[in-house]
């Protein structure tokens, strides 16, 4: 249930916030959350291609092959997350990373980044410089200011709670 609920929330955010012309997605993290997210996102985006990345390249290749067969979408594993992200209009991160995997230089202007993996104070997927340069929308400001990526940007002194554009419900 948690995987489906999280993916459905991300899909709702992507549907509301992604560029209308979004056809290419990058997905970081090829576990259960990654699969649930890709399945949900094909329902709200007219995707032509998805790049997938994982710390385990073999896992990413297997995931790409399985998802291509299941979804009929060109899903390809990449060994260069930043390169794939720069060629995408949407990027979803669902990893257990404790250090940033995306920084400002890895994301093209206008790209929607949906970061869902940093669900405790020790986890972090998005570098503070990327958050500080972005229009940030969170699911829960109170929670995000105390754990995850926004928490790290606030701790680094590059953002304040007041810099958050909105909560998703708004």
């Amino acid at each position: 249930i948690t995987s489906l609920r999280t993916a459905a929330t991300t899909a709702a955010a992507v549907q509301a916030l992604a560029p209308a012309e979004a056809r290419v997605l990058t997905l970081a993290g090829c576990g259960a959350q990654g699969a649930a997210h890709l399945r949900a996102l094909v329902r709200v985006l007219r995707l032509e291609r998805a790049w997938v990345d994982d710390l385990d390249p073999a896992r990413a290749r297997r995931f790409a092959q399985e998802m291509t067969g299941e979804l009929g979408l060109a899903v390809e594993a990449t060994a260069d997350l930043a390169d794939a992200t720069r060629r995408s209009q949407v990027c979803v991160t669902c990893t257990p990373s404790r250090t940033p995997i995306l920084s400002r230089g890895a994301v093209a202007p206008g790209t929607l980044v949906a970061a869902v993996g940093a669900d405790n104070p020790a986890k972090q997927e998005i570098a503070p410089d990327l958050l500080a340069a972005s229009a940030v929308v969170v699911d829960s400001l109170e929670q995000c200011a105390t754990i995850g990526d926004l928490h790290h940007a606030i701790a680094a002194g590059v953002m304040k709670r007041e810099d958050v554009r909105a909560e998703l419900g708004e």
Side-chain angles (χ1 to χ4, degrees):
I1 297 277
T2 298
S3 289
L4 294 175
R5 182 186 67 225
T6 304
T9 301
T10 302
V14 167
Q15 189 171 30
L17 301 170
E21 69 280 0
R23 300 290 180 270
V24 181
L25 165 79
T26 295
L27 175 70
C30 296
Q33 280 288 347
H37 275 77
L38 189 53
R39 289 180 183 118
L41 292 168
V42 298
R43 297 181 180 276
V44 298
L45 294 171
R46 292 183 294 177
L47 291 175
E48 297 171 358
R49 169 175 309 284
W51 300 101
V52 296
D53 178 75
D54 196 273
L55 279 177
D56 179 352
R59 182 180 194 182
R61 288 189 299 272
R62 283 190 307 274
F63 182 92
Q65 185 175 29
E66 290 169 10
M67 290 291 114
T68 295
E70 178 182 327
L71 301 174
L73 171 69
V75 180
E76 293 185 43
T78 180
D80 189 339
L81 177 61
D83 179 62
T85 302
R86 281 190 292 272
R87 296 188 284 156
S88 301
Q89 295 84 42
V90 176
C91 177
V92 177
T93 60
C94 37
T95 75
S97 183
R98 294 181 179 274
T99 59
I101 60 172
L102 283 181
S103 63
R104 187 173 180 182
V107 179
T111 300
L112 171 68
V113 176
V116 300
D119 59 1
N120 73 48
K123 292 183 181 178
Q124 183 178 17
E125 295 177 309
I126 310 303
D129 71 327
L130 176 55
L131 276 175
S134 301
V136 177
V137 176
V138 297
D139 53 353
S140 164
L141 180 56
E142 185 60 35
Q143 179 179 348
C144 291
T146 58
I147 66 172
D149 296 306
L150 179 60
H151 156 76
H152 291 286
I154 292 170
V158 299
M159 286 191 75
K160 302 177 298 235
R161 287 173 178 247
E162 298 79 28
D163 295 326
V164 173
R165 170 117 4 129
E167 286 189 328
L168 184 56
E170 296 171 312

